[in-house]
Amino acid sequence: MRKKVSIKDVADALGVSKTLVSFVLNNKTEKHGINAETRQRVLDKIKEMNYSPNQAARGLRTGKSNAVGLIIADIANPFYSRIARSIEDQARKKGYQLLICSSDEIAEREIELIQLLSDTGQVEGIIISTTQSDAKMLGAIYKDNFPIVLIDRYFEESGIPTVIVNNEEGAYSAVEKLITNGMKRIGMLTISPSFISSVRDRVKGYKKALKENNMKFDKKLLREIPFDNLRDSVRKEVMELLSPPNKADAIFLANNNLAVAAIEVINEMGLRIPNDVALVSFDDIELFQLTQPGITAVSQPIEQMGKEAFYMLERQINGEEENKPGRVVLETELKVRRSCGSVMKP
Amino acid sequence: MRKKVSIKDVADALGVSKTLVSFVLNNKTEKHGINAETRQRVLDKIKEMNYSPNQAARGLRTGKSNAVGLIIADIANPFYSRIARSIEDQARKKGYQLLICSSDEIAEREIELIQLLSDTGQVEGIIISTTQSDAKMLGAIYKDNFPIVLIDRYFEESGIPTVIVNNEEGAYSAVEKLITNGMKRIGMLTISPSFISSVRDRVKGYKKALKENNMKFDKKLLREIPFDNLRDSVRKEVMELLSPPNKADAIFLANNNLAVAAIEVINEMGLRIPNDVALVSFDDIELFQLTQPGITAVSQPIEQMGKEAFYMLERQINGEEENKPGRVVLETELKVRRSCGSVMKP
DNA sequence: TTGAAAGCGCTAACAA
DNA sequence: TTGTTAGCGCTTTCAA
């Protein structure tokens, strides 16, 4: 194998002790009153010998891995990959590595991943968009003082620090837009499992918008799509929604995956958006500004979510508990494009 | 902090030695002729005490981190996030963690990342879509026996194991399609820095297609877009390409980023695809089947690229050098959609 | 102002 | 068939 210069090699080459080199390495020279000149000699030698400290050894000794974990459904999903990028930037800035793991929304796999990361000491904390149905597991780990931050999805009473957006409000604004634009039968595609808080809140917002506009909620217009058979299921449900007796004139999609699949079906059916069916989706992915017509979508402040989440995690790692971060709720923004029809519609 | 049960705790609880527990942990019981019954007792206790081995300690002792690195331009780019997902799956299957780092195509940052990962022993090998202009740096590391696999981009003479697609052929087929469909003035948007092999080969394919169809190469029709100012630059160049005196009737885009930006401009200009301008892009992202019209694109076998790359890395890590993998070139597939016009065009 | 030495948790050679 | 022990590379207490 390759390079193997250790702290001892540097110390020997210099005729000093490992301690001294270590002090220099960790900026502890001031504290110990080391000569600036000595310090420089060490620094030079380190560079000359191209030494860098072994992470495993350092981690073993200090109990810190300088890494944090991110567990999401799928790194190939643009929503999560953008979240990941944002967290990666924050983490690197603070000298942390990021370990990204995809759970595919499988609860047991997620548990395995959490244990893999936490029990082995591979990471000092985890940011997770969880697919657990309740707070039991994560709550226990958190109580046990392992740093955790929930992102995108939360549990009501867990006390685990959380970053989410105002999903209900976002959904509400989306559906209200459709109503304003004259839509009368607004369907919604949501995703199961239905205990996922973000999705649940989007359904709430949908219902609230209907109610406040004196439109009665027709449960035949609300369809739940299983995560693991998304495409086929969307095809079936969209077709049903658009045909008699349902005859929806608009559909609100609970996330980008659903929207992508729905657009596909609608295209295939030869229907026009928004004339035959108006569309609004949650998650504003790049695609939505490029389709013709553009897709109206609820945009989430992804950058900021990642930033807040990492900050919350960092506080826990550093034991700054007094100033407890609690739950951060960020606002969404409705990006209006042509897919939602227009007020001019007859 | 939390849980701290070590191998010693398990051994003490059982009244056996750490060695025994370690053997069980590492499936070395057979080799040492440990009683099946003893083995089971240890296993039970491990589960009971909820013990899992500390990675840092294990890593320090064995010199293996059980992690590999992936360095790409940007994890938020769908092409790379899909590659990452594919590699993640392979890695996990083999018990490896994946550390993903984004370089933003900045050569110096890439070097820092490589050193960060390799010098500190954080990873046992690196898969990289490099932005280096030459093989110097990576070649040296590889020669030094640090496992490296190049993905998507290669160096001619470096000898570093590589997974790429046949970019020239892919580009050739794309441009030829445009020619078959009657396009006369085919522009191309490519990306700088131009030493990136994949992009360079796509330009080659473009030129080859023109040549073989007796169309002369007009260098005014080939535009180079800087990575760091992509959007504005694409706007400018597309506009120029489509206006007199260039009057391109088709554009070949060297990657998905360029295509996305180009479509945006074309939409804004109020032009229709393919009537006013036909389009073909490299990289088949989901978006391209959803736009109206769909965008014809050169599809890369992303799954397979990830698989091959990890396999190559694994062989190096395991020191299986004799059976040297060399360079794997995978074939692309042209996904024909409406954006490239049709043979029926006058 | 610097150094000696212990020990983090684990594996593996060697002993028994 | 199981145990003793050394030591991976580092940080840090204590001593000088």
Side-chain angles (χ1 to χ4, degrees), chain B residues 7 18 28 51 58 61:
Chain B
I7 198 170
K18 293 189 295 173
K28 300 239 168 100
Y51 165 72
R58 181 177 268 182
R61 178 62 228 233

mmCIF file with all atom_site columns, all heavy atoms in Angstrom, chain B residues 7 18 28 51 58 61, chain C residues 9-14:
data_model
loop_
_atom_site.group_PDB
_atom_site.id
_atom_site.type_symbol
_atom_site.label_atom_id
_atom_site.label_alt_id
_atom_site.label_comp_id
_atom_site.label_asym_id
_atom_site.label_entity_id
_atom_site.label_seq_id
_atom_site.pdbx_PDB_ins_code
_atom_site.Cartn_x
_atom_site.Cartn_y
_atom_site.Cartn_z
_atom_site.occupancy
_atom_site.B_iso_or_equiv
_atom_site.pdbx_formal_charge
_atom_site.auth_seq_id
_atom_site.auth_comp_id
_atom_site.auth_asym_id
_atom_site.auth_atom_id
_atom_site.pdbx_PDB_model_num
ATOM 1   N N     . ILE B 1 7  ? -16.077 -4.644  23.359 1.00 0.00 ? 7  ILE B N     1
ATOM 2   C CA    . ILE B 1 7  ? -15.860 -6.081  23.251 1.00 0.00 ? 7  ILE B CA    1
ATOM 3   C C     . ILE B 1 7  ? -15.432 -6.660  24.600 1.00 0.00 ? 7  ILE B C     1
ATOM 4   O O     . ILE B 1 7  ? -15.746 -7.800  24.943 1.00 0.00 ? 7  ILE B O     1
ATOM 5   C CB    . ILE B 1 7  ? -14.790 -6.365  22.164 1.00 0.00 ? 7  ILE B CB    1
ATOM 6   C CG1   . ILE B 1 7  ? -14.855 -7.819  21.727 1.00 0.00 ? 7  ILE B CG1   1
ATOM 7   C CG2   . ILE B 1 7  ? -13.407 -5.970  22.636 1.00 0.00 ? 7  ILE B CG2   1
ATOM 8   C CD1   . ILE B 1 7  ? -14.008 -8.092  20.496 1.00 0.00 ? 7  ILE B CD1   1
ATOM 9   N N     . LYS B 1 18 ? -11.521 -11.510 25.142 1.00 0.00 ? 18 LYS B N     1
ATOM 10  C CA    . LYS B 1 18 ? -11.885 -10.658 24.016 1.00 0.00 ? 18 LYS B CA    1
ATOM 11  C C     . LYS B 1 18 ? -11.633 -11.389 22.709 1.00 0.00 ? 18 LYS B C     1
ATOM 12  O O     . LYS B 1 18 ? -12.386 -11.268 21.750 1.00 0.00 ? 18 LYS B O     1
ATOM 13  C CB    . LYS B 1 18 ? -11.046 -9.379  24.047 1.00 0.00 ? 18 LYS B CB    1
ATOM 14  C CG    . LYS B 1 18 ? -11.339 -8.474  25.230 1.00 0.00 ? 18 LYS B CG    1
ATOM 15  C CD    . LYS B 1 18 ? -10.638 -7.133  25.068 1.00 0.00 ? 18 LYS B CD    1
ATOM 16  C CE    . LYS B 1 18 ? -9.120  -7.276  25.103 1.00 0.00 ? 18 LYS B CE    1
ATOM 17  N NZ    . LYS B 1 18 ? -8.421  -6.027  24.782 1.00 0.00 ? 18 LYS B NZ    1
ATOM 18  N N     . LYS B 1 28 ? -14.435 -16.178 12.480 1.00 0.00 ? 28 LYS B N     1
ATOM 19  C CA    . LYS B 1 28 ? -13.186 -16.936 12.463 1.00 0.00 ? 28 LYS B CA    1
ATOM 20  C C     . LYS B 1 28 ? -13.295 -18.152 13.377 1.00 0.00 ? 28 LYS B C     1
ATOM 21  O O     . LYS B 1 28 ? -12.285 -18.717 13.802 1.00 0.00 ? 28 LYS B O     1
ATOM 22  C CB    . LYS B 1 28 ? -12.037 -16.042 12.951 1.00 0.00 ? 28 LYS B CB    1
ATOM 23  C CG    . LYS B 1 28 ? -11.836 -14.815 12.095 1.00 0.00 ? 28 LYS B CG    1
ATOM 24  C CD    . LYS B 1 28 ? -10.443 -14.749 11.509 1.00 0.00 ? 28 LYS B CD    1
ATOM 25  C CE    . LYS B 1 28 ? -10.302 -13.711 10.426 1.00 0.00 ? 28 LYS B CE    1
ATOM 26  N NZ    . LYS B 1 28 ? -9.686  -12.470 10.875 1.00 0.00 ? 28 LYS B NZ    1
ATOM 27  N N     . TYR B 1 51 ? -24.382 -5.007  21.466 1.00 0.00 ? 51 TYR B N     1
ATOM 28  C CA    . TYR B 1 51 ? -23.024 -4.574  21.138 1.00 0.00 ? 51 TYR B CA    1
ATOM 29  C C     . TYR B 1 51 ? -22.790 -4.475  19.636 1.00 0.00 ? 51 TYR B C     1
ATOM 30  O O     . TYR B 1 51 ? -23.226 -5.331  18.874 1.00 0.00 ? 51 TYR B O     1
ATOM 31  C CB    . TYR B 1 51 ? -22.019 -5.577  21.722 1.00 0.00 ? 51 TYR B CB    1
ATOM 32  C CG    . TYR B 1 51 ? -20.636 -5.442  21.156 1.00 0.00 ? 51 TYR B CG    1
ATOM 33  C CD1   . TYR B 1 51 ? -19.844 -4.350  21.493 1.00 0.00 ? 51 TYR B CD1   1
ATOM 34  C CD2   . TYR B 1 51 ? -20.138 -6.387  20.263 1.00 0.00 ? 51 TYR B CD2   1
ATOM 35  C CE1   . TYR B 1 51 ? -18.581 -4.209  20.954 1.00 0.00 ? 51 TYR B CE1   1
ATOM 36  C CE2   . TYR B 1 51 ? -18.871 -6.257  19.724 1.00 0.00 ? 51 TYR B CE2   1
ATOM 37  C CZ    . TYR B 1 51 ? -18.100 -5.164  20.067 1.00 0.00 ? 51 TYR B CZ    1
ATOM 38  O OH    . TYR B 1 51 ? -16.854 -5.032  19.537 1.00 0.00 ? 51 TYR B OH    1
ATOM 39  N N     . ARG B 1 58 ? -11.603 -0.681  14.998 1.00 0.00 ? 58 ARG B N     1
ATOM 40  C CA    . ARG B 1 58 ? -11.403 -1.736  14.013 1.00 0.00 ? 58 ARG B CA    1
ATOM 41  C C     . ARG B 1 58 ? -10.565 -1.218  12.845 1.00 0.00 ? 58 ARG B C     1
ATOM 42  O O     . ARG B 1 58 ? -9.645  -1.874  12.371 1.00 0.00 ? 58 ARG B O     1
ATOM 43  C CB    . ARG B 1 58 ? -12.773 -2.218  13.539 1.00 0.00 ? 58 ARG B CB    1
ATOM 44  C CG    . ARG B 1 58 ? -12.712 -3.322  12.541 1.00 0.00 ? 58 ARG B CG    1
ATOM 45  C CD    . ARG B 1 58 ? -14.108 -3.785  12.180 1.00 0.00 ? 58 ARG B CD    1
ATOM 46  N NE    . ARG B 1 58 ? -14.562 -4.878  13.024 1.00 0.00 ? 58 ARG B NE    1
ATOM 47  C CZ    . ARG B 1 58 ? -15.739 -5.484  12.867 1.00 0.00 ? 58 ARG B CZ    1
ATOM 48  N NH1   . ARG B 1 58 ? -16.576 -5.064  11.932 1.00 0.00 ? 58 ARG B NH1   1
ATOM 49  N NH2   . ARG B 1 58 ? -16.069 -6.485  13.643 1.00 0.00 ? 58 ARG B NH2   1
ATOM 50  N N     . ARG B 1 61 ? -6.955  -0.717  13.742 1.00 0.00 ? 61 ARG B N     1
ATOM 51  C CA    . ARG B 1 61 ? -6.253  -1.993  13.854 1.00 0.00 ? 61 ARG B CA    1
ATOM 52  C C     . ARG B 1 61 ? -6.017  -2.643  12.483 1.00 0.00 ? 61 ARG B C     1
ATOM 53  O O     . ARG B 1 61 ? -4.928  -3.106  12.172 1.00 0.00 ? 61 ARG B O     1
ATOM 54  C CB    . ARG B 1 61 ? -7.086  -2.912  14.740 1.00 0.00 ? 61 ARG B CB    1
ATOM 55  C CG    . ARG B 1 61 ? -6.545  -4.299  14.925 1.00 0.00 ? 61 ARG B CG    1
ATOM 56  C CD    . ARG B 1 61 ? -5.184  -4.243  15.603 1.00 0.00 ? 61 ARG B CD    1
ATOM 57  N NE    . ARG B 1 61 ? -4.269  -5.085  14.887 1.00 0.00 ? 61 ARG B NE    1
ATOM 58  C CZ    . ARG B 1 61 ? -3.535  -6.051  15.421 1.00 0.00 ? 61 ARG B CZ    1
ATOM 59  N NH1   . ARG B 1 61 ? -3.548  -6.242  16.716 1.00 0.00 ? 61 ARG B NH1   1
ATOM 60  N NH2   . ARG B 1 61 ? -2.737  -6.782  14.697 1.00 0.00 ? 61 ARG B NH2   1
ATOM 61  P P     . DG  C 2 9  ? -13.276 2.339   24.906 1.00 0.00 ? 9  DG  C P     1
ATOM 62  O OP1   . DG  C 2 9  ? -14.644 2.868   25.000 1.00 0.00 ? 9  DG  C OP1   1
ATOM 63  O OP2   . DG  C 2 9  ? -12.625 1.707   26.063 1.00 0.00 ? 9  DG  C OP2   1
ATOM 64  O "O5'" . DG  C 2 9  ? -13.208 1.315   23.698 1.00 0.00 ? 9  DG  C "O5'" 1
ATOM 65  C "C5'" . DG  C 2 9  ? -13.660 1.715   22.423 1.00 0.00 ? 9  DG  C "C5'" 1
ATOM 66  C "C4'" . DG  C 2 9  ? -13.235 0.674   21.419 1.00 0.00 ? 9  DG  C "C4'" 1
ATOM 67  O "O4'" . DG  C 2 9  ? -11.795 0.659   21.334 1.00 0.00 ? 9  DG  C "O4'" 1
ATOM 68  C "C3'" . DG  C 2 9  ? -13.643 -0.756  21.784 1.00 0.00 ? 9  DG  C "C3'" 1
ATOM 69  O "O3'" . DG  C 2 9  ? -14.360 -1.280  20.678 1.00 0.00 ? 9  DG  C "O3'" 1
ATOM 70  C "C2'" . DG  C 2 9  ? -12.339 -1.484  22.039 1.00 0.00 ? 9  DG  C "C2'" 1
ATOM 71  C "C1'" . DG  C 2 9  ? -11.357 -0.668  21.220 1.00 0.00 ? 9  DG  C "C1'" 1
ATOM 72  N N9    . DG  C 2 9  ? -9.997  -0.670  21.718 1.00 0.00 ? 9  DG  C N9    1
ATOM 73  C C8    . DG  C 2 9  ? -9.585  -0.665  23.040 1.00 0.00 ? 9  DG  C C8    1
ATOM 74  N N7    . DG  C 2 9  ? -8.277  -0.654  23.173 1.00 0.00 ? 9  DG  C N7    1
ATOM 75  C C5    . DG  C 2 9  ? -7.800  -0.645  21.873 1.00 0.00 ? 9  DG  C C5    1
ATOM 76  C C6    . DG  C 2 9  ? -6.458  -0.644  21.387 1.00 0.00 ? 9  DG  C C6    1
ATOM 77  O O6    . DG  C 2 9  ? -5.413  -0.630  22.048 1.00 0.00 ? 9  DG  C O6    1
ATOM 78  N N1    . DG  C 2 9  ? -6.423  -0.642  19.997 1.00 0.00 ? 9  DG  C N1    1
ATOM 79  C C2    . DG  C 2 9  ? -7.517  -0.645  19.181 1.00 0.00 ? 9  DG  C C2    1
ATOM 80  N N2    . DG  C 2 9  ? -7.279  -0.630  17.866 1.00 0.00 ? 9  DG  C N2    1
ATOM 81  N N3    . DG  C 2 9  ? -8.773  -0.654  19.615 1.00 0.00 ? 9  DG  C N3    1
ATOM 82  C C4    . DG  C 2 9  ? -8.844  -0.652  20.964 1.00 0.00 ? 9  DG  C C4    1
ATOM 83  P P     . DC  C 2 10 ? -14.760 -2.776  20.536 1.00 0.00 ? 10 DC  C P     1
ATOM 84  O OP1   . DC  C 2 10 ? -15.977 -2.834  19.729 1.00 0.00 ? 10 DC  C OP1   1
ATOM 85  O OP2   . DC  C 2 10 ? -14.693 -3.420  21.852 1.00 0.00 ? 10 DC  C OP2   1
ATOM 86  O "O5'" . DC  C 2 10 ? -13.565 -3.316  19.651 1.00 0.00 ? 10 DC  C "O5'" 1
ATOM 87  C "C5'" . DC  C 2 10 ? -13.489 -2.908  18.293 1.00 0.00 ? 10 DC  C "C5'" 1
ATOM 88  C "C4'" . DC  C 2 10 ? -12.171 -3.339  17.703 1.00 0.00 ? 10 DC  C "C4'" 1
ATOM 89  O "O4'" . DC  C 2 10 ? -11.131 -2.994  18.628 1.00 0.00 ? 10 DC  C "O4'" 1
ATOM 90  C "C3'" . DC  C 2 10 ? -12.019 -4.840  17.483 1.00 0.00 ? 10 DC  C "C3'" 1
ATOM 91  O "O3'" . DC  C 2 10 ? -12.331 -5.129  16.121 1.00 0.00 ? 10 DC  C "O3'" 1
ATOM 92  C "C2'" . DC  C 2 10 ? -10.560 -5.131  17.791 1.00 0.00 ? 10 DC  C "C2'" 1
ATOM 93  C "C1'" . DC  C 2 10 ? -10.026 -3.816  18.355 1.00 0.00 ? 10 DC  C "C1'" 1
ATOM 94  N N1    . DC  C 2 10 ? -9.277  -3.954  19.619 1.00 0.00 ? 10 DC  C N1    1
ATOM 95  C C2    . DC  C 2 10 ? -7.877  -4.002  19.577 1.00 0.00 ? 10 DC  C C2    1
ATOM 96  O O2    . DC  C 2 10 ? -7.305  -3.967  18.484 1.00 0.00 ? 10 DC  C O2    1
ATOM 97  N N3    . DC  C 2 10 ? -7.192  -4.093  20.730 1.00 0.00 ? 10 DC  C N3    1
ATOM 98  C C4    . DC  C 2 10 ? -7.839  -4.127  21.904 1.00 0.00 ? 10 DC  C C4    1
ATOM 99  N N4    . DC  C 2 10 ? -7.118  -4.210  23.021 1.00 0.00 ? 10 DC  C N4    1
ATOM 100 C C5    . DC  C 2 10 ? -9.262  -4.076  21.980 1.00 0.00 ? 10 DC  C C5    1
ATOM 101 C C6    . DC  C 2 10 ? -9.933  -3.996  20.820 1.00 0.00 ? 10 DC  C C6    1
ATOM 102 P P     . DT  C 2 11 ? -12.364 -6.682  15.696 1.00 0.00 ? 11 DT  C P     1
ATOM 103 O OP1   . DT  C 2 11 ? -13.045 -6.694  14.388 1.00 0.00 ? 11 DT  C OP1   1
ATOM 104 O OP2   . DT  C 2 11 ? -12.818 -7.517  16.818 1.00 0.00 ? 11 DT  C OP2   1
ATOM 105 O "O5'" . DT  C 2 11 ? -10.816 -6.990  15.460 1.00 0.00 ? 11 DT  C "O5'" 1
ATOM 106 C "C5'" . DT  C 2 11 ? -10.163 -6.376  14.362 1.00 0.00 ? 11 DT  C "C5'" 1
ATOM 107 C "C4'" . DT  C 2 11 ? -8.759  -6.897  14.258 1.00 0.00 ? 11 DT  C "C4'" 1
ATOM 108 O "O4'" . DT  C 2 11 ? -8.072  -6.717  15.522 1.00 0.00 ? 11 DT  C "O4'" 1
ATOM 109 C "C3'" . DT  C 2 11 ? -8.624  -8.375  13.907 1.00 0.00 ? 11 DT  C "C3'" 1
ATOM 110 O "O3'" . DT  C 2 11 ? -7.601  -8.442  12.932 1.00 0.00 ? 11 DT  C "O3'" 1
ATOM 111 C "C2'" . DT  C 2 11 ? -8.209  -9.046  15.221 1.00 0.00 ? 11 DT  C "C2'" 1
ATOM 112 C "C1'" . DT  C 2 11 ? -7.429  -7.915  15.891 1.00 0.00 ? 11 DT  C "C1'" 1
ATOM 113 N N1    . DT  C 2 11 ? -7.385  -7.857  17.381 1.00 0.00 ? 11 DT  C N1    1
ATOM 114 C C2    . DT  C 2 11 ? -6.160  -7.664  17.983 1.00 0.00 ? 11 DT  C C2    1
ATOM 115 O O2    . DT  C 2 11 ? -5.106  -7.582  17.370 1.00 0.00 ? 11 DT  C O2    1
ATOM 116 N N3    . DT  C 2 11 ? -6.202  -7.579  19.358 1.00 0.00 ? 11 DT  C N3    1
ATOM 117 C C4    . DT  C 2 11 ? -7.328  -7.661  20.166 1.00 0.00 ? 11 DT  C C4    1
ATOM 118 O O4    . DT  C 2 11 ? -7.233  -7.555  21.378 1.00 0.00 ? 11 DT  C O4    1
ATOM 119 C C5    . DT  C 2 11 ? -8.577  -7.858  19.463 1.00 0.00 ? 11 DT  C C5    1
ATOM 120 C C7    . DT  C 2 11 ? -9.847  -7.961  20.254 1.00 0.00 ? 11 DT  C C7    1
ATOM 121 C C6    . DT  C 2 11 ? -8.547  -7.953  18.121 1.00 0.00 ? 11 DT  C C6    1
ATOM 122 P P     . DA  C 2 12 ? -7.380  -9.727  12.056 1.00 0.00 ? 12 DA  C P     1
ATOM 123 O OP1   . DA  C 2 12 ? -6.982  -9.279  10.707 1.00 0.00 ? 12 DA  C OP1   1
ATOM 124 O OP2   . DA  C 2 12 ? -8.508  -10.647 12.266 1.00 0.00 ? 12 DA  C OP2   1
ATOM 125 O "O5'" . DA  C 2 12 ? -6.090  -10.335 12.737 1.00 0.00 ? 12 DA  C "O5'" 1
ATOM 126 C "C5'" . DA  C 2 12 ? -4.929  -9.501  12.841 1.00 0.00 ? 12 DA  C "C5'" 1
ATOM 127 C "C4'" . DA  C 2 12 ? -3.865  -10.282 13.541 1.00 0.00 ? 12 DA  C "C4'" 1
ATOM 128 O "O4'" . DA  C 2 12 ? -4.094  -10.226 14.977 1.00 0.00 ? 12 DA  C "O4'" 1
ATOM 129 C "C3'" . DA  C 2 12 ? -3.852  -11.777 13.195 1.00 0.00 ? 12 DA  C "C3'" 1
ATOM 130 O "O3'" . DA  C 2 12 ? -2.502  -12.200 13.277 1.00 0.00 ? 12 DA  C "O3'" 1
ATOM 131 C "C2'" . DA  C 2 12 ? -4.684  -12.403 14.299 1.00 0.00 ? 12 DA  C "C2'" 1
ATOM 132 C "C1'" . DA  C 2 12 ? -4.218  -11.540 15.475 1.00 0.00 ? 12 DA  C "C1'" 1
ATOM 133 N N9    . DA  C 2 12 ? -5.143  -11.474 16.581 1.00 0.00 ? 12 DA  C N9    1
ATOM 134 C C8    . DA  C 2 12 ? -6.488  -11.740 16.596 1.00 0.00 ? 12 DA  C C8    1
ATOM 135 N N7    . DA  C 2 12 ? -7.055  -11.583 17.768 1.00 0.00 ? 12 DA  C N7    1
ATOM 136 C C5    . DA  C 2 12 ? -6.008  -11.182 18.580 1.00 0.00 ? 12 DA  C C5    1
ATOM 137 C C6    . DA  C 2 12 ? -5.936  -10.860 19.943 1.00 0.00 ? 12 DA  C C6    1
ATOM 138 N N6    . DA  C 2 12 ? -7.001  -10.883 20.752 1.00 0.00 ? 12 DA  C N6    1
ATOM 139 N N1    . DA  C 2 12 ? -4.726  -10.501 20.444 1.00 0.00 ? 12 DA  C N1    1
ATOM 140 C C2    . DA  C 2 12 ? -3.669  -10.473 19.619 1.00 0.00 ? 12 DA  C C2    1
ATOM 141 N N3    . DA  C 2 12 ? -3.618  -10.765 18.318 1.00 0.00 ? 12 DA  C N3    1
ATOM 142 C C4    . DA  C 2 12 ? -4.825  -11.112 17.866 1.00 0.00 ? 12 DA  C C4    1
ATOM 143 P P     . DA  C 2 13 ? -1.956  -13.304 12.263 1.00 0.00 ? 13 DA  C P     1
ATOM 144 O OP1   . DA  C 2 13 ? -1.850  -12.629 10.953 1.00 0.00 ? 13 DA  C OP1   1
ATOM 145 O OP2   . DA  C 2 13 ? -2.758  -14.538 12.411 1.00 0.00 ? 13 DA  C OP2   1
ATOM 146 O "O5'" . DA  C 2 13 ? -0.501  -13.586 12.811 1.00 0.00 ? 13 DA  C "O5'" 1
ATOM 147 C "C5'" . DA  C 2 13 ? 0.333   -12.490 13.158 1.00 0.00 ? 13 DA  C "C5'" 1
ATOM 148 C "C4'" . DA  C 2 13 ? 1.051   -12.755 14.467 1.00 0.00 ? 13 DA  C "C4'" 1
ATOM 149 O "O4'" . DA  C 2 13 ? 0.105   -12.625 15.570 1.00 0.00 ? 13 DA  C "O4'" 1
ATOM 150 C "C3'" . DA  C 2 13 ? 1.656   -14.159 14.562 1.00 0.00 ? 13 DA  C "C3'" 1
ATOM 151 O "O3'" . DA  C 2 13 ? 2.982   -14.049 15.089 1.00 0.00 ? 13 DA  C "O3'" 1
ATOM 152 C "C2'" . DA  C 2 13 ? 0.725   -14.906 15.538 1.00 0.00 ? 13 DA  C "C2'" 1
ATOM 153 C "C1'" . DA  C 2 13 ? 0.186   -13.763 16.408 1.00 0.00 ? 13 DA  C "C1'" 1
ATOM 154 N N9    . DA  C 2 13 ? -1.171  -14.007 16.897 1.00 0.00 ? 13 DA  C N9    1
ATOM 155 C C8    . DA  C 2 13 ? -2.256  -14.426 16.182 1.00 0.00 ? 13 DA  C C8    1
ATOM 156 N N7    . DA  C 2 13 ? -3.354  -14.553 16.906 1.00 0.00 ? 13 DA  C N7    1
ATOM 157 C C5    . DA  C 2 13 ? -2.958  -14.185 18.168 1.00 0.00 ? 13 DA  C C5    1
ATOM 158 C C6    . DA  C 2 13 ? -3.652  -14.107 19.389 1.00 0.00 ? 13 DA  C C6    1
ATOM 159 N N6    . DA  C 2 13 ? -4.952  -14.396 19.517 1.00 0.00 ? 13 DA  C N6    1
ATOM 160 N N1    . DA  C 2 13 ? -2.966  -13.707 20.485 1.00 0.00 ? 13 DA  C N1    1
ATOM 161 C C2    . DA  C 2 13 ? -1.663  -13.410 20.347 1.00 0.00 ? 13 DA  C C2    1
ATOM 162 N N3    . DA  C 2 13 ? -0.891  -13.443 19.256 1.00 0.00 ? 13 DA  C N3    1
ATOM 163 C C4    . DA  C 2 13 ? -1.616  -13.840 18.193 1.00 0.00 ? 13 DA  C C4    1
ATOM 164 P P     . DC  C 2 14 ? 3.941   -15.363 15.093 1.00 0.00 ? 14 DC  C P     1
ATOM 165 O OP1   . DC  C 2 14 ? 5.320   -14.884 14.927 1.00 0.00 ? 14 DC  C OP1   1
ATOM 166 O OP2   . DC  C 2 14 ? 3.370   -16.383 14.175 1.00 0.00 ? 14 DC  C OP2   1
ATOM 167 O "O5'" . DC  C 2 14 ? 3.753   -15.872 16.588 1.00 0.00 ? 14 DC  C "O5'" 1
ATOM 168 C "C5'" . DC  C 2 14 ? 3.911   -14.944 17.652 1.00 0.00 ? 14 DC  C "C5'" 1
ATOM 169 C "C4'" . DC  C 2 14 ? 3.400   -15.565 18.918 1.00 0.00 ? 14 DC  C "C4'" 1
ATOM 170 O "O4'" . DC  C 2 14 ? 1.963   -15.610 18.903 1.00 0.00 ? 14 DC  C "O4'" 1
ATOM 171 C "C3'" . DC  C 2 14 ? 3.873   -17.008 19.150 1.00 0.00 ? 14 DC  C "C3'" 1
ATOM 172 O "O3'" . DC  C 2 14 ? 4.582   -17.037 20.373 1.00 0.00 ? 14 DC  C "O3'" 1
ATOM 173 C "C2'" . DC  C 2 14 ? 2.577   -17.819 19.174 1.00 0.00 ? 14 DC  C "C2'" 1
ATOM 174 C "C1'" . DC  C 2 14 ? 1.565   -16.750 19.616 1.00 0.00 ? 14 DC  C "C1'" 1
ATOM 175 N N1    . DC  C 2 14 ? 0.145   -17.023 19.277 1.00 0.00 ? 14 DC  C N1    1
ATOM 176 C C2    . DC  C 2 14 ? -0.824  -16.823 20.259 1.00 0.00 ? 14 DC  C C2    1
ATOM 177 O O2    . DC  C 2 14 ? -0.473  -16.432 21.386 1.00 0.00 ? 14 DC  C O2    1
ATOM 178 N N3    . DC  C 2 14 ? -2.133  -17.071 19.963 1.00 0.00 ? 14 DC  C N3    1
ATOM 179 C C4    . DC  C 2 14 ? -2.479  -17.491 18.741 1.00 0.00 ? 14 DC  C C4    1
ATOM 180 N N4    . DC  C 2 14 ? -3.778  -17.709 18.501 1.00 0.00 ? 14 DC  C N4    1
ATOM 181 C C5    . DC  C 2 14 ? -1.494  -17.686 17.717 1.00 0.00 ? 14 DC  C C5    1
ATOM 182 C C6    . DC  C 2 14 ? -0.210  -17.445 18.026 1.00 0.00 ? 14 DC  C C6    1
#
